[in-house]
Amino acid sequence: MAEAIVRHKTRILDLDLRAYFDNVQHSLVLEKVARRVRDDDVMQLLSTMLKATGKKGVPQGGVISPLISNLYLTEVDRMLERAIETTHYGKYTAIQYARFADDRAPRRREGGFMN
């Protein structure tokens, strides 16, 4: 963030995907995973984990949820990477981004971290 400010990137666009974890489409997740994973047992386990949440969505706070979120949001990353390439001028860029699939950030308190 400090580097972006030094480079005069001082405007922030904050995108919050409302109810993100509740709306992940299982078929899209399974399709994306199947492109790289050829293990039927792994695919069956993932399918079972997804079905446990109903017809769509992933368990918020679940151990697999961050992985699924990152996989699911890859297309958003690709779009932003294209925007960076399109707007760059020499060594400078007009856009930088950081994506977080979780809505919590660690905060420091005296003696350690807090939730």
Side-chain angles (χ1 to χ4, degrees):
M1 187 60 80
E3 181 181 335
I5 291 170
V6 168
R7 292 180 181 217
H8 302 284
K9 295 176 185 175
T10 56
R11 293 187 181 140
I12 296 173
L13 176 61
D14 181 19
L15 302 172
D16 186 8
L17 304 175
R18 185 176 311 225
Y20 168 74
F21 287 98
D22 297 331
N23 291 300
V24 171
Q25 299 294 316
H26 294 176
S27 60
L28 293 176
V29 170
L30 292 169
E31 179 183 310
K32 288 176 182 287
V33 172
R35 289 182 196 156
R36 299 221 176 181
V37 174
R38 303 278 188 246
D39 186 318
D40 290 339
D41 292 334
V42 171
M43 293 303 296
Q44 181 60 41
L45 177 61
L46 178 58
S47 180
T48 300
M49 292 173 85
L50 291 172
K51 285 179 185 175
T53 64
K55 292 186 178 191
K56 64 180 180 176
V58 295
Q60 191 164 359
V63 295
I64 194 86
S65 298
L67 176 66
I68 292 172
S69 296
N70 283 318
L71 190 76
Y72 200 75
L73 291 172
T74 297
E75 297 305 317
V76 173
D77 290 337
R78 288 184 180 145
M79 177 196 67
L80 292 169
E81 290 296 329
R82 284 191 303 271
I84 289 170
E85 287 300 315
T86 302
T87 62
H88 84 281
Y89 181 76
K91 67 178 183 174
Y92 300 103
T93 61
I95 297 172
Q96 269 183 268
Y97 76 96
R99 177 175 57 81
F100 304 95
D102 192 280
D103 60 354
R104 298 186 69 184
R107 293 169 282 160
R108 181 141 173 81
R109 71 171 183 192
E110 193 171 324
F113 286 95
M114 60 190 278
N115 291 330

